[in-house]
Amino acid sequence: MSEQVYSELFRNNRNLVESVSCGVLNAVRSEALDCLEKYGFPTAKVEEYLHTDISGWLEPDWGINLGRVNIPVNLNEVFHCSVPNLSTLMYYLANDRFMASEMSQHSQLPDGVIAGSLNELAGKYPELAGRYYAGLADMHRPGIAALNTLLVQDGFMIYVPDGVVMDKPVQLVTLLQSPVNLMVARRILVVTGKDAALKLLLCDHSVDSHDYLATQVMELYAGENSHVELYDMEETSPHNRRISELYVDQKAGSDVSVTGMTLSNGHTRNSAYVTLSGRAASLTLNGVAIAAGSQHVDNLTFVDHRVPGCQSNELFKYVLDDDSVGAFAGKVLVREGANGTVSQQTNRNICLKRSARMFTQPQLEIYADDVKCSHGSTVGQLDDKALFYMRQRGIPKDEARVLLMMAFVDEVIGHVEMEPLRQRLRYLVERRFKGGQAQCDGCRICR
């Protein structure tokens, strides 16, 4: 079994892995090893992975950079993308290693905010990082949290202390580039204190045509009355496999908004596990997936209402073409005593061809009184009547199709609070529907 291969790989190279990692990361590797050997990788027999058997993704003989060999990535050469009219604090991960760059703007961080390499900052602030690292990620079940925790050596960390409002968004660009097929394990740790505010934009890109398997675990702690906006955009290649797990804990009065955008990919599995642990916490969880060819996009969400007076809203939309496959499974759990919960979960999907397939499973599990909860899903095709109406008014068929698809996904994009990012996403999505990528001057990624 492949998990045994990874266990043996770690045992044989443990000294090497730990020699280039800080104590906080190393402290939980033994637990991760035990969990990996006990629970293994999920297969299609596990309900959460019914339509995405990631165990098969983990079988190939991937290269893994355990010794932190420097794989040159020239940021100035390969990456020139930006969001017009949006000034951000920009940071980079090259494969699974934080990459210092003259474009990173550490000097512009507000007092008390720390951001940068997870390995470096966890070594510099072990009490702070140790308080949160691996505190949310669930290794005690089939998944990739245990494998990621076992092998991870770096990533990104940002800490926003009480009362600090980040005026500028933080942008984390992850680039996959290697001379060989590569598996990467990256970790992201986000902590916002009481009354703090943060806007975080994640951009996931692959630079070349090698095969990649990216495992990503992100832990997000939202303090009391904090406001967090998280945008996660994937623009990779058909050669890319991505397994991402997001864990969120929301304290009282916190407001968290998460928007995921899969614009181009190979095979993707995104999971979001959110715990509303404080009264009056509010969650918005949205997603758009656009797939064609043999692309595969699977989103799973689990929202746990543990206390009274919280609300959650989910909206996921897919547009599938050719032989692509989409899957959505969303579960809302309202625990006993979580009275006054308000929750809405919606999944709407368009299959442009009969060969495209969509699997959807929204769920509600309620053990409390006085709640307002609803869920629903639809799968259909473009409205033939609307298409005919537009063509009768002189709009070419292809343009009419793009307009209808844009109108379909714009309900999600419209929730993006930052106007420049909202306009940029509309541009990228329109280019995607027209069969191309957005062109950025001098950027190798977009060629």
Side-chain angles (χ1 to χ4, degrees), residues 102-208:
E102 60 186 20
M103 291 182 278
S104 299
Q105 299 161 309
H106 303 277
S107 61
Q108 298 185 30
L109 292 173
D111 291 342
V113 176
I114 59 174
S117 163
L118 171 64
N119 188 47
E120 179 182 330
L121 293 178
K124 188 175 181 180
Y125 305 98
E127 292 186 4
L128 175 64
R131 193 184 316 155
Y132 297 103
Y133 178 72
L136 295 180
D138 186 3
M139 297 186 290
H140 296 268
R141 60 173 182 79
I144 58 98
L147 177 66
N148 181 275
T149 304
L150 185 69
L151 299 179
V152 72
Q153 295 169 295
D154 202 2
F156 180 74
M157 173 180 174
I158 182 167
Y159 168 73
V160 184
D162 294 351
V164 175
V165 175
M166 296 280 291
D167 294 325
K168 274 192 173 184
V170 174
Q171 184 174 3
L172 177 63
V173 178
T174 59
L175 300 173
L176 295 171
Q177 183 178 24
S178 170
V180 297
N181 296 342
L182 189 66
M183 172 182 171
V184 303
R186 58 186 182 231
R187 197 67 167 245
I188 301 174
L189 177 62
V190 179
V191 181
T192 58
K194 182 179 180 180
D195 299 314
L198 170 67
K199 299 176 183 178
L200 179 59
L201 170 61
L202 309 180
C203 302
D204 201 357
H205 300 282
S206 56
V207 177
D208 53 44

Side-chain angles (χ1 to χ4, degrees), residues 47 124 168 312 324:
E47 184 178 5
K124 188 175 181 180
K168 274 192 173 184
S312 63
S324 61

Side-chain angles (χ1 to χ4, degrees), residues 299-416:
N299 284 293
L300 175 138
T301 67
F302 176 72
V303 179
D304 187 354
H305 285 262
R306 293 191 175 184
V307 296
C310 296
Q311 66 177 18
S312 63
N313 292 280
E314 296 182 63
L315 176 61
F316 281 78
K317 291 196 170 187
Y318 289 63
V319 179
L320 305 175
D321 201 356
D322 301 324
D323 298 316
S324 61
V325 177
F328 172 81
K331 181 176 181 179
V332 175
L333 171 63
V334 182
R335 295 183 183 269
E336 184 177 357
N339 300 326
T341 292
V342 177
S343 177
Q344 181 175 350
Q345 181 188 96
T346 305
N347 172 226
R348 303 194 189 285
N349 313 282
I350 289 178
C351 293
L352 299 175
K353 293 181 180 177
R354 297 182 67 87
S355 54
R357 291 173 292 162
M358 181 68 203
F359 303 92
T360 177
Q361 187 181 18
Q363 303 174 71
L364 282 175
E365 192 171 337
I366 302 173
Y367 299 97
D369 299 322
D370 188 27
V371 302
K372 296 180 180 178
C373 299
S374 65
H375 69 297
S377 66
T378 60
V379 180
Q381 297 177 320
L382 287 178
D383 189 335
D384 288 336
K385 291 183 179 179
L387 189 62
F388 176 78
Y389 178 87
M390 296 171 72
R391 293 190 67 189
Q392 287 293 99
R393 277 146 184 80
I395 302 176
K397 180 179 179 180
D398 289 343
E399 184 177 342
R401 285 169 57 88
V402 170
L403 289 172
L404 288 175
M405 290 186 288
M406 285 296 299
F408 177 73
V409 302
D410 198 64
E411 185 180 0
V412 175
I413 299 175
H415 285 287
V416 175

